[in-house]
Amino acid sequence: PQNSVIFIHSSHDILAQGPLCQAVWNLRDSFKANRSTLVLMTPGCKVPELLKYDLVKIVEPLPSAEEIGKIFDSICSQVGLTESLERKQAAIERTRGILTGFAVEQALALSISKSGLDLQELSAQRRAFISQTDGLEIRTDTSTFADVAGYDAIKKRISQEINCKNPPDVILWLDEVREMLAAANGLDGTTRDQLGHWQCWLQDKLNSNQFTGIILAGFPGTCKSLISASTRNEAKCECLRVDFGAQKSKFVGESEQKARQVTRTVDAIGSRILCLATCNGLEGIPAPFLSRFTGGTYFFDLATEQERDAIWLLKRAKFGILDTDLEPESTGWTGRDIHECCRNASRLGLTLLQAARGLTPFCRTNRADIETMRKEATVKGWLSASTGEIYVQPSVATGRKLG
């Protein structure tokens, strides 16, 4: 009929099928003649090439603070509750990251009763909604930098960022970026989709002057993840961990759509972003992606003797190891190796020397990889996570013994 508006729900199912997509395209001229409009409603999809220049894309805006406030007032009115302006503002803050007004209403309704607003329940509801986003996790770690022995330079660098004039209001942790974005033998289609979106988004954030990206590269077990997770409590803001693998899909365009959903959620939670990318090396990661991380690349070498002493002290206290229990020779050990030695000694009722016999330290089985990565860090001028100076590979004469 003329002058009609037709809505199609879940249109992503239609657009994913060639014949149905062609059928939609065939409607163009007839709808134009009849002054009719076709509205395709979808949670998100990649527009097919056939329709790229015939559709107008309208994205539902995020719920504004004013809209959330009205929802809050409405629910309070329904239960006969009067809350202070401060509590209302706290509720608005704790719904950031929930992407639709209906979802905000659901979260608030489950957190408000006649006895008042339960902020802890509201936070739990928000975590539950955000956890439905593939590849995104809200961290709830309780650790701080006091739980990390050694690597003082990177802790100082991050502390400078979170105590600056405009501190971050969200920590974005991109975990194991090398494993997900390495370009060895070329990127597959889904990884290219992800990479393209992330590069554009990171560049936009960099241009906004409210983004700092720092790369934490080094051997497994050298506290990169612990430092990233601990930044949450140091900065007193949300820490979001991104898993690139969970965003991949076999369907065309869906990986990019999942990546868009992740970045849209990040945008909803905060605008000033401190991004920490952890990896075991940078080989194969495309240069345009790395160029967005202008805050420096910090190399986590094997712990020095002084750092190992501090780690032993920390882990002894954590697992209740007596001072009289002798430590094994641990040159070349990582923090994870020392942690496992103390943990096994505690839970198995062994001495540290006995527990060490059942361990295979990283340095024992990865000698070639250690030297290769140290050389890469030296050639590329990475910064030492321990000293903050440009890293220099130890010479053979003065190098550390690796077990």
Side-chain angles (χ1 to χ4, degrees), residues 221-252:
T222 51
C223 300
K224 302 184 298 297
S225 295
L226 180 58
I227 287 176
S228 299
S230 300
T231 303
R232 167 184 180 267
N233 291 307
E234 295 291 331
K236 295 180 174 58
C237 65
E238 295 287 9
C239 177
L240 305 177
R241 176 182 171 272
V242 175
D243 178 0
F244 287 98
Q247 297 173 38
K248 299 185 76 170
S249 171
K250 64 181 180 180
F251 298 109
V252 176

Coordinates of all heavy atoms in Angstrom, one line a residue, residues 221-252:
G221 N 54.6 -15.5 33.1 CA 54.9 -15.6 34.5 C 55.6 -14.5 35.1 O 56.0 -14.6 36.3
T222 N 55.7 -13.3 34.4 CA 56.5 -12.2 34.9 C 55.6 -11.1 35.4 O 56.0 -9.9 35.4 CB 57.5 -11.7 33.9 OG1 56.8 -11.4 32.6 CG2 58.6 -12.7 33.6
C223 N 54.4 -11.4 35.8 CA 53.5 -10.4 36.5 C 52.8 -9.4 35.6 O 52.2 -8.4 36.1 CB 54.2 -9.7 37.6 SG 54.9 -10.8 38.9
K224 N 52.8 -9.6 34.3 CA 52.1 -8.7 33.4 C 50.7 -8.6 33.7 O 50.1 -7.5 33.8 CB 52.4 -9.0 31.9 CG 53.9 -9.1 31.5 CD 54.0 -9.4 30.1 CE 53.5 -10.7 29.6 NZ 54.1 -11.9 30.2
S225 N 50.0 -9.8 33.8 CA 48.6 -9.9 34.0 C 48.2 -9.4 35.4 O 47.2 -8.7 35.6 CB 48.1 -11.3 33.8 OG 48.3 -11.7 32.5
L226 N 49.1 -9.7 36.4 CA 48.8 -9.3 37.8 C 48.8 -7.8 37.9 O 48.0 -7.2 38.6 CB 49.8 -9.9 38.7 CG 49.7 -9.6 40.2 CD1 48.3 -10.0 40.7 CD2 50.7 -10.3 41.0
I227 N 49.8 -7.2 37.2 CA 49.9 -5.7 37.3 C 48.7 -5.1 36.6 O 48.1 -4.1 37.1 CB 51.2 -5.2 36.6 CG1 52.4 -5.5 37.5 CG2 51.2 -3.7 36.3 CD1 53.7 -5.2 36.9
S228 N 48.3 -5.6 35.4 CA 47.1 -5.1 34.7 C 45.9 -5.2 35.6 O 45.1 -4.3 35.7 CB 46.9 -5.9 33.4 OG 48.0 -5.7 32.6
A229 N 45.7 -6.4 36.2 CA 44.5 -6.6 37.0 C 44.5 -5.7 38.3 O 43.5 -5.2 38.7 CB 44.3 -8.0 37.4
S230 N 45.7 -5.5 38.8 CA 45.8 -4.7 40.0 C 45.6 -3.2 39.8 O 45.3 -2.4 40.7 CB 47.2 -4.9 40.6 OG 47.4 -6.2 41.0
T231 N 45.7 -2.7 38.5 CA 45.5 -1.3 38.2 C 44.1 -0.9 38.6 O 43.8 0.3 38.8 CB 45.8 -1.1 36.7 OG1 47.2 -1.5 36.4 CG2 45.7 0.4 36.4
R232 N 43.2 -1.8 38.5 CA 41.8 -1.5 38.9 C 41.6 -0.9 40.2 O 41.0 0.2 40.4 CB 40.9 -2.8 38.8 CG 39.5 -2.7 39.5 CD 38.8 -4.0 39.5 NE 37.5 -3.9 40.1 CZ 37.3 -4.1 41.4 NH1 38.2 -4.4 42.2 NH2 36.0 -4.0 41.9
N233 N 42.3 -1.5 41.2 CA 42.2 -0.9 42.6 C 43.1 0.3 42.8 O 42.7 1.1 43.6 CB 42.5 -2.0 43.6 CG 41.5 -3.1 43.7 OD1 40.3 -2.8 43.8 ND2 41.9 -4.4 43.5
E234 N 44.2 0.3 42.1 CA 45.0 1.5 42.2 C 44.3 2.8 41.6 O 44.4 3.8 42.2 CB 46.3 1.3 41.4 CG 47.2 0.2 42.0 CD 47.8 0.5 43.3 OE1 48.0 1.7 43.6 OE2 48.0 -0.4 44.1
A235 N 43.6 2.6 40.5 CA 42.9 3.7 39.9 C 41.5 3.9 40.4 O 40.9 5.0 40.1 CB 42.8 3.4 38.4
K236 N 41.0 2.9 41.2 CA 39.6 3.0 41.7 C 38.6 3.2 40.6 O 37.7 4.1 40.8 CB 39.6 4.1 42.8 CG 40.4 3.8 44.0 CD 40.4 4.9 45.1 CE 41.1 4.5 46.3 NZ 42.5 4.2 46.1
C237 N 38.7 2.5 39.6 CA 37.7 2.5 38.5 C 37.6 1.1 37.9 O 38.3 0.2 38.3 CB 38.1 3.6 37.5 SG 39.6 3.2 36.5
E238 N 36.7 1.0 37.0 CA 36.4 -0.3 36.4 C 37.6 -0.8 35.5 O 38.2 0.0 34.8 CB 35.2 -0.3 35.5 CG 33.9 -0.1 36.3 CD 33.5 -1.3 37.1 OE1 34.2 -2.3 37.2 OE2 32.3 -1.3 37.6
C239 N 37.9 -2.1 35.5 CA 38.9 -2.7 34.7 C 38.2 -3.7 33.8 O 37.5 -4.6 34.3 CB 40.0 -3.3 35.5 SG 41.2 -4.2 34.4
L240 N 38.2 -3.5 32.5 CA 37.6 -4.4 31.5 C 38.7 -5.2 30.8 O 39.6 -4.6 30.1 CB 36.8 -3.5 30.5 CG 35.7 -2.6 31.1 CD1 35.1 -1.8 30.0 CD2 34.7 -3.4 31.9
R241 N 38.5 -6.5 30.8 CA 39.5 -7.3 30.1 C 38.9 -7.8 28.8 O 37.7 -8.3 28.8 CB 39.8 -8.6 30.9 CG 40.7 -9.6 30.2 CD 41.0 -10.8 31.1 NE 41.7 -11.8 30.4 CZ 41.1 -12.8 29.7 NH1 39.7 -12.8 29.6 NH2 41.7 -13.7 29.0
V242 N 39.6 -7.6 27.7 CA 39.1 -8.0 26.4 C 39.8 -9.3 25.9 O 41.0 -9.4 26.0 CB 39.4 -6.9 25.3 CG1 39.0 -7.3 23.9 CG2 38.7 -5.6 25.7
D243 N 39.0 -10.2 25.5 CA 39.5 -11.5 25.0 C 39.1 -11.5 23.5 O 38.0 -11.7 23.1 CB 38.8 -12.7 25.7 CG 39.2 -14.0 25.1 OD1 40.0 -14.1 24.2 OD2 38.7 -15.1 25.7
F244 N 40.1 -11.3 22.6 CA 39.9 -11.3 21.2 C 39.3 -12.6 20.6 O 38.5 -12.6 19.7 CB 41.2 -10.9 20.5 CG 41.6 -9.5 20.6 CD1 42.5 -9.1 21.6 CD2 41.0 -8.5 19.9 CE1 42.9 -7.8 21.7 CE2 41.4 -7.2 20.0 CZ 42.3 -6.8 21.0
G245 N 39.8 -13.7 21.2 CA 39.3 -15.0 20.7 C 37.8 -15.2 20.8 O 37.2 -15.7 20.0
A246 N 37.2 -14.6 21.9 CA 35.8 -14.8 22.1 C 35.0 -13.9 21.2 O 33.7 -14.1 21.1 CB 35.4 -14.4 23.6
Q247 N 35.6 -13.0 20.5 CA 34.9 -12.1 19.5 C 34.9 -12.7 18.1 O 34.2 -12.2 17.3 CB 35.6 -10.8 19.5 CG 35.6 -10.0 20.8 CD 36.4 -8.7 20.7 OE1 36.4 -8.0 19.6 NE2 37.1 -8.4 21.7
K248 N 35.6 -13.8 17.9 CA 35.7 -14.4 16.5 C 34.5 -15.2 16.2 O 33.9 -15.9 17.1 CB 37.0 -15.2 16.4 CG 38.2 -14.3 16.6 CD 39.5 -15.1 16.3 CE 39.7 -15.3 14.8 NZ 41.0 -15.9 14.5
S249 N 34.0 -15.2 15.0 CA 32.9 -15.9 14.6 C 33.1 -16.4 13.1 O 33.8 -15.8 12.3 CB 31.6 -15.1 14.6 OG 30.5 -15.8 14.0
K250 N 32.5 -17.5 12.8 CA 32.7 -18.1 11.4 C 31.8 -17.3 10.4 O 32.0 -17.5 9.2 CB 32.4 -19.6 11.4 CG 30.9 -19.9 11.8 CD 30.7 -21.4 11.7 CE 29.2 -21.7 12.1 NZ 28.9 -23.1 12.1
F251 N 30.9 -16.5 10.9 CA 29.9 -15.9 10.0 C 30.5 -14.5 9.6 O 31.1 -13.8 10.3 CB 28.6 -15.7 10.7 CG 27.9 -16.9 11.1 CD1 27.8 -17.3 12.4 CD2 27.4 -17.8 10.1 CE1 27.2 -18.5 12.8 CE2 26.8 -19.0 10.5 CZ 26.7 -19.3 11.8
V252 N 30.3 -14.2 8.3 CA 30.9 -13.0 7.7 C 30.3 -11.8 8.4 O 29.1 -11.6 8.6 CB 30.5 -12.9 6.2 CG1 31.0 -11.6 5.6 CG2 31.1 -14.1 5.5

